Amino acid sequence: MRFLDIYRCLFAAALLACPFLLRAQDGSTAYNFMNITSSARIYGLGGVNITLVDDDISVIDQNPALLGGEMGNMLALNYMRYLGGSNFAGVRYGHSAGEHGAWAASIQYFGYGSMKETLPDGSVVGTFSPKDVAFGGTYSHDITDRLRGGIALKMLYSAYAEYTAFAVSTDLGINYYDADKDLSLSVVVANLGGQLKRFNERYDRLPFDIRLGWSQSFGTFPLRFSITAWNLTKWKLPYTDSGDGTTTDEPKVKDGFMSNLFRHLVFGVDLVSSPTYYISLAYNYKTRTDMSTYSRSFLSGFSLGGGLKVKNFGVGLAFAQPHTGGTTLMFNLSCNFNDFIR
């Protein structure tokens, strides 16, 4: 069977499953660490971007269709200092597979620091260090000269004190890219799957999502604009606004049309005037409003990133401050080994 036929079957299966998965979205989900990018380039663009076409293999965690042969023999390392003493790190390697395909493998570690272990009566019996580990494999294929499809499979292991769980997740993506117009359009079905081993008797759902994305630059203008729509499995995303702390007004639930619309959208812009460096800036309204009950700052919802490429090495750094007590930093280092072989 040809790859195109296989890919059509995969997307048909995903679309058939959507009505059942959409109904399953009522209530909370677990494994939300899967929505944290491992790419400083993406983190600087708001944390969600499925259309960034670049020779940086770290961006494929957002969309498996962004993987290509141009990333062959590329290795990327990532580290992130997250909220509450959490530390995330990982490694990803990619290689070409024939003239029209590519594959990649990755390991991501999510550590949440040391926590007190208590009994139901509140007595402390020790400490534990909860963690999640994701083992991933990705394959992509050029369907046409402008259309590429990809699939990613992730094995998820979680250990919280004496409790462990295991789950399997799949991402399906497709990307259309017109190099002449620098136009990129993508659709991603993310986090399909479920638990094979539960923590206890309760089943924890994966954060299934459907995402749409657009990126484009215009002529010689040195900026590229991006809009990513996510959390599309559920229209209403209400939040509680507690004000700025200067009044005693009761918190208000915000659930209007415009509020819901913008909580689905992430806006990004990056400087593309040179292939050797980039600067990116983004605004994620959902991040800002999620922090409305905390001590958020003016920077809440904004993210800033920058990177530099020197010969076969690339370095990326991204910064965000969701609230005044939580500054997050992400660092990437990549190397293209093809330059050593030549």
Side-chain angles (χ1 to χ4, degrees):
M1 183 181 289
R2 295 178 304 169
F3 178 83
L4 181 56
D5 296 329
I6 296 173
Y7 207 77
R8 284 172 175 167
C9 292
L10 289 171
F11 263 98
L15 292 174
L16 288 173
C18 281
F20 304 99
L21 292 166
L22 291 176
R23 286 197 293 268
Q25 295 312 298
D26 295 330
S28 61
T29 61
Y31 297 93
N32 290 302
F33 65 89
M34 298 170 64
N35 290 326
I36 301 175
T37 181
S38 61
S39 168
R41 187 76 181 267
I42 299 298
Y43 197 63
L45 286 170
V48 185
N49 187 299
I50 63 173
T51 49
L52 182 60
V53 177
D54 193 49
D55 61 348
D56 181 357
I57 195 171
S58 64
V59 305
I60 72 170
D61 74 346
Q62 296 286 293
N63 182 356
L66 297 178
L67 174 66
E70 66 276 8
M71 300 176 186
N73 252 349
M74 182 175 288
L75 178 73
L77 306 174
N78 66 274
Y79 171 77
M80 184 180 195
R81 176 68 174 178
Y82 203 58
L83 303 175
S86 299
N87 293 277
F88 307 152
V91 59
R92 177 175 278 107
Y93 175 77
H95 203 283
S96 59
E99 294 183 3
H100 301 287
W103 62 265
S106 65
I107 300 176
Q108 288 295 131
Y109 172 84
F110 302 84
Y112 309 107
S114 179
M115 301 181 183
K116 294 180 180 179
E117 185 174 0
T118 61
L119 298 176
D121 62 4
S123 58
V124 178
V125 295
T127 61
F128 70 103
S129 299
K131 59 182 175 292
D132 294 296
V133 183
F135 304 89
T138 305
Y139 179 77
S140 70
H141 193 90
D142 295 331
I143 301 171
T144 69
D145 59 345
R146 294 185 178 180
L147 197 64
R148 178 181 290 170
I151 182 171
L153 180 66
K154 303 172 188 176
M155 307 294 180
L156 310 173
Y157 171 77
S158 301
Y160 302 162
E162 69 269 24
Y163 300 98
T164 61
F166 185 76
V168 176
S169 172
T170 301
D171 295 343
L172 301 173
I174 194 164
N175 173 258
Y176 171 86
Y177 180 63
D178 185 340
D180 295 332
K181 299 179 180 179
D182 193 26
L183 169 65
S184 178
L185 303 171
S186 289
V187 180
V188 171
V189 179
N191 306 326
L192 282 164
Q195 281 185 312
L196 301 180
K197 180 181 182 298
R198 308 176 185 182
F199 285 110
N200 47 38
E201 288 117 16
R202 189 183 70 178
Y203 175 78
D204 293 316
R205 293 188 294 272
L206 272 63
F208 169 75
D209 195 13
I210 297 175
R211 300 168 184 175
L212 305 175
W214 164 84
S215 292
Q216 188 174 9
S217 62
F218 299 92
T220 59
F221 194 60
L223 297 178
R224 175 171 49 202
F225 301 91
S226 300
I227 300 176
T228 306
W230 67 315
N231 288 312
L232 298 182
T233 59
K234 188 176 183 180
W235 165 249
K236 289 194 173 185
L237 299 173
Y239 73 97
T240 302
D241 187 356
S242 300
D244 59 5
T246 60
T247 67
T248 58
D249 295 340
E250 290 293 322
K252 297 179 181 179
V253 176
K254 301 289 187 178
D255 195 21
F257 175 83
M258 294 303 295
S259 172
N260 283 310
L261 174 63
F262 279 95
R263 277 170 62 80
H264 284 285
L265 302 176
V266 179
F267 301 90
V269 59
D270 57 330
L271 181 67
V272 291
S273 57
S274 172
T276 61
Y277 66 87
Y278 72 87
I279 299 174
S280 57
L281 177 67
Y283 181 65
N284 187 325
Y285 181 70
K286 186 177 186 299
T287 297
R288 182 169 182 82
T289 51
D290 283 346
M291 293 294 107
S292 63
T293 55
Y294 300 92
S295 299
R296 70 183 183 192
S297 67
F298 170 78
L299 296 176
S300 180
F302 289 95
S303 56
L304 177 67
L308 180 67
K309 294 180 181 178
V310 179
K311 294 184 178 180
N312 52 314
F313 289 98
V315 178
L317 184 67
F319 162 86
Q321 190 182 60
H323 62 87
T324 55
T327 298
T328 60
L329 291 171
M330 174 169 280
F331 173 78
N332 278 162
L333 176 64
S334 62
C335 178
N336 191 329
F337 289 98
N338 281 330
D339 292 338
F340 291 108
I341 299 173
R342 294 168 187 168

